[in-house]
Tab-separated table of all heavy atoms in Angstrom:
chain	number	residue	atom	x	y	z
V	1	ILE	N	-0.847	-12.160	-2.777
V	1	ILE	CA	0.317	-12.415	-1.915
V	1	ILE	C	0.073	-13.755	-1.157
V	1	ILE	O	0.979	-14.590	-1.039
V	1	ILE	CB	0.485	-11.256	-0.886
V	1	ILE	CG1	1.036	-10.041	-1.645
V	1	ILE	CG2	1.483	-11.681	0.180
V	1	ILE	CD1	1.079	-8.790	-0.807
V	2	LYS	N	-1.115	-13.985	-0.652
V	2	LYS	CA	-1.445	-15.197	0.000
V	2	LYS	C	-1.370	-16.409	-0.974
V	2	LYS	O	-0.841	-17.429	-0.616
V	2	LYS	CB	-2.841	-15.150	0.580
V	2	LYS	CG	-3.019	-14.227	1.795
V	2	LYS	CD	-2.302	-14.717	3.020
V	2	LYS	CE	-2.985	-15.929	3.624
V	2	LYS	NZ	-2.273	-16.334	4.868
V	3	LEU	N	-1.852	-16.220	-2.218
V	3	LEU	CA	-1.848	-17.245	-3.208
V	3	LEU	C	-0.420	-17.704	-3.526
V	3	LEU	O	-0.233	-18.954	-3.683
V	3	LEU	CB	-2.502	-16.733	-4.473
V	3	LEU	CG	-2.555	-17.690	-5.668
V	3	LEU	CD1	-3.497	-18.890	-5.364
V	3	LEU	CD2	-3.063	-16.979	-6.926
V	4	TYR	N	0.516	-16.800	-3.493
V	4	TYR	CA	1.905	-17.161	-3.858
V	4	TYR	C	2.755	-17.476	-2.604
V	4	TYR	O	4.000	-17.525	-2.731
V	4	TYR	CB	2.553	-16.094	-4.681
V	4	TYR	CG	2.052	-16.150	-6.186
V	4	TYR	CD1	0.983	-15.316	-6.533
V	4	TYR	CD2	2.584	-17.017	-7.071
V	4	TYR	CE1	0.528	-15.404	-7.841
V	4	TYR	CE2	2.132	-17.089	-8.368
V	4	TYR	CZ	1.111	-16.273	-8.768
V	4	TYR	OH	0.607	-16.339	-10.022
V	5	GLY	N	2.117	-17.663	-1.450
V	5	GLY	CA	2.854	-18.129	-0.298
V	5	GLY	C	3.346	-17.109	0.642
V	5	GLY	O	4.071	-17.421	1.580
V	6	GLY	N	2.991	-15.834	0.474
V	6	GLY	CA	3.360	-14.750	1.393
V	6	GLY	C	2.227	-14.355	2.313
V	6	GLY	O	1.128	-14.915	2.264
V	7	ASN	N	2.521	-13.365	3.174
V	7	ASN	CA	1.524	-12.860	4.048
V	7	ASN	C	1.573	-11.327	4.069
V	7	ASN	O	2.607	-10.731	4.325
V	7	ASN	CB	1.782	-13.346	5.507
V	7	ASN	CG	1.452	-14.791	5.685
V	7	ASN	OD1	0.306	-15.203	5.475
V	7	ASN	ND2	2.445	-15.578	6.044
V	8	PRO	N	0.452	-10.662	3.722
V	8	PRO	CA	0.415	-9.232	3.672
V	8	PRO	C	0.566	-8.627	5.074
V	8	PRO	O	0.053	-9.145	6.058
V	8	PRO	CB	-0.962	-8.890	3.086
V	8	PRO	CG	-1.835	-10.130	3.367
V	8	PRO	CD	-0.894	-11.261	3.361
V	9	ALA	N	1.330	-7.537	5.153
V	9	ALA	CA	1.562	-6.875	6.449
V	9	ALA	C	0.503	-5.819	6.707
V	9	ALA	O	0.378	-5.331	7.886
V	9	ALA	CB	2.929	-6.245	6.473
V	10	ASN	N	-0.284	-5.424	5.678
V	10	ASN	CA	-1.274	-4.369	5.910
V	10	ASN	C	-2.169	-4.180	4.719
V	10	ASN	O	-1.917	-4.781	3.605
V	10	ASN	CB	-0.532	-3.020	6.062
V	10	ASN	CG	0.288	-2.674	4.906
V	10	ASN	OD1	1.455	-3.123	4.761
V	10	ASN	ND2	-0.278	-1.934	3.913
V	11	PHE	N	-3.246	-3.503	4.974
V	11	PHE	CA	-4.118	-2.980	3.894
V	11	PHE	C	-3.805	-1.483	3.883
V	11	PHE	O	-3.922	-0.798	4.890
V	11	PHE	CB	-5.561	-3.207	4.226
V	11	PHE	CG	-6.540	-2.498	3.428
V	11	PHE	CD1	-7.162	-3.161	2.323
V	11	PHE	CD2	-6.929	-1.151	3.660
V	11	PHE	CE1	-8.087	-2.469	1.557
V	11	PHE	CE2	-7.866	-0.543	2.864
V	11	PHE	CZ	-8.453	-1.178	1.785
V	12	LEU	N	-3.385	-0.976	2.733
V	12	LEU	CA	-3.061	0.441	2.560
V	12	LEU	C	-3.492	0.973	1.233
V	12	LEU	O	-2.925	0.690	0.218
V	12	LEU	CB	-1.560	0.676	2.735
V	12	LEU	CG	-1.011	2.115	2.568
V	12	LEU	CD1	-1.766	3.130	3.400
V	12	LEU	CD2	0.474	2.195	2.826
V	13	ASP	N	-4.585	1.770	1.244
V	13	ASP	CA	-5.150	2.359	0.042
V	13	ASP	C	-4.830	3.847	0.060
V	13	ASP	O	-5.410	4.563	0.918
V	13	ASP	CB	-6.653	2.084	-0.022
V	13	ASP	CG	-7.364	2.866	-1.081
V	13	ASP	OD1	-6.663	3.328	-2.045
V	13	ASP	OD2	-8.604	3.005	-1.000
V	14	ILE	N	-4.003	4.343	-0.812
V	14	ILE	CA	-3.635	5.771	-0.842
V	14	ILE	C	-4.519	6.564	-1.774
V	14	ILE	O	-4.330	7.791	-1.927
V	14	ILE	CB	-2.150	5.960	-1.233
V	14	ILE	CG1	-1.883	5.469	-2.646
V	14	ILE	CG2	-1.221	5.273	-0.229
V	14	ILE	CD1	-0.498	5.857	-3.174
V	15	GLY	N	-5.441	5.923	-2.424
V	15	GLY	CA	-6.358	6.655	-3.341
V	15	GLY	C	-5.699	6.958	-4.660
V	15	GLY	O	-4.687	6.366	-5.006
V	16	GLY	N	-6.236	7.880	-5.406
V	16	GLY	CA	-5.777	8.148	-6.765
V	16	GLY	C	-4.730	9.177	-6.925
V	16	GLY	O	-4.292	9.485	-8.059
V	17	SER	N	-4.257	9.768	-5.862
V	17	SER	CA	-3.270	10.829	-5.946
V	17	SER	C	-1.840	10.321	-6.160
V	17	SER	O	-1.465	9.278	-5.625
V	17	SER	CB	-3.324	11.712	-4.683
V	17	SER	OG	-2.291	12.656	-4.729
V	18	SER	N	-1.040	11.091	-6.905
V	18	SER	CA	0.372	10.790	-7.046
V	18	SER	C	1.222	11.749	-6.229
V	18	SER	O	2.415	11.846	-6.440
V	18	SER	CB	0.807	10.843	-8.519
V	18	SER	OG	0.575	12.166	-9.039
V	19	ASN	N	0.514	12.474	-5.302
V	19	ASN	CA	1.210	13.486	-4.464
V	19	ASN	C	2.356	12.795	-3.689
V	19	ASN	O	2.109	11.929	-2.867
V	19	ASN	CB	0.160	14.072	-3.498
V	19	ASN	CG	0.729	15.229	-2.640
V	19	ASN	OD1	1.926	15.299	-2.463
V	19	ASN	ND2	-0.171	16.034	-2.139
V	20	PRO	N	3.578	13.270	-3.834
V	20	PRO	CA	4.725	12.637	-3.102
V	20	PRO	C	4.605	12.753	-1.611
V	20	PRO	O	5.069	11.856	-0.863
V	20	PRO	CB	5.997	13.336	-3.669
V	20	PRO	CG	5.463	14.597	-4.276
V	20	PRO	CD	4.069	14.314	-4.766
V	21	ILE	N	3.991	13.827	-1.096
V	21	ILE	CA	3.831	14.020	0.298
V	21	ILE	C	2.954	12.917	0.879
V	21	ILE	O	3.228	12.330	1.930
V	21	ILE	CB	3.286	15.431	0.634
V	21	ILE	CG1	4.263	16.505	0.212
V	21	ILE	CG2	2.946	15.523	2.108
V	21	ILE	CD1	3.708	17.895	0.369
V	22	LYS	N	1.895	12.598	0.180
V	22	LYS	CA	0.995	11.496	0.627
V	22	LYS	C	1.724	10.170	0.595
V	22	LYS	O	1.511	9.342	1.496
V	22	LYS	CB	-0.227	11.473	-0.330
V	22	LYS	CG	-1.400	10.684	0.226
V	22	LYS	CD	-2.599	10.854	-0.725
V	22	LYS	CE	-3.870	10.252	-0.138
V	22	LYS	NZ	-5.061	10.439	-0.967
V	23	VAL	N	2.530	9.963	-0.456
V	23	VAL	CA	3.277	8.708	-0.512
V	23	VAL	C	4.253	8.620	0.641
V	23	VAL	O	4.399	7.553	1.251
V	23	VAL	CB	4.030	8.577	-1.864
V	23	VAL	CG1	4.925	7.380	-1.912
V	23	VAL	CG2	3.065	8.547	-3.022
V	24	ILE	N	4.924	9.682	1.006
V	24	ILE	CA	5.862	9.687	2.090
V	24	ILE	C	5.201	9.382	3.379
V	24	ILE	O	5.667	8.535	4.183
V	24	ILE	CB	6.575	11.125	2.177
V	24	ILE	CG1	7.513	11.343	0.993
V	24	ILE	CG2	7.338	11.207	3.479
V	24	ILE	CD1	8.005	12.779	0.881
V	25	GLU	N	4.036	10.008	3.668
V	25	GLU	CA	3.304	9.751	4.930
V	25	GLU	C	2.849	8.302	4.972
V	25	GLU	O	2.913	7.687	6.040
V	25	GLU	CB	2.051	10.738	5.010
V	25	GLU	CG	2.470	12.159	5.173
V	25	GLU	CD	3.196	12.452	6.464
V	25	GLU	OE1	3.024	11.721	7.453
V	25	GLU	OE2	4.089	13.368	6.483
V	26	ALA	N	2.384	7.787	3.824
V	26	ALA	CA	1.926	6.405	3.824
V	26	ALA	C	3.062	5.434	4.037
V	26	ALA	O	2.954	4.480	4.794
V	26	ALA	CB	1.233	6.070	2.472
């Protein structure tokens, strides 16, 4: 993101789960 001229708003690692509840909370 920095390389292409943007700025990241956060670091967010949700791990390996595809659990929709976890995605919603994140």
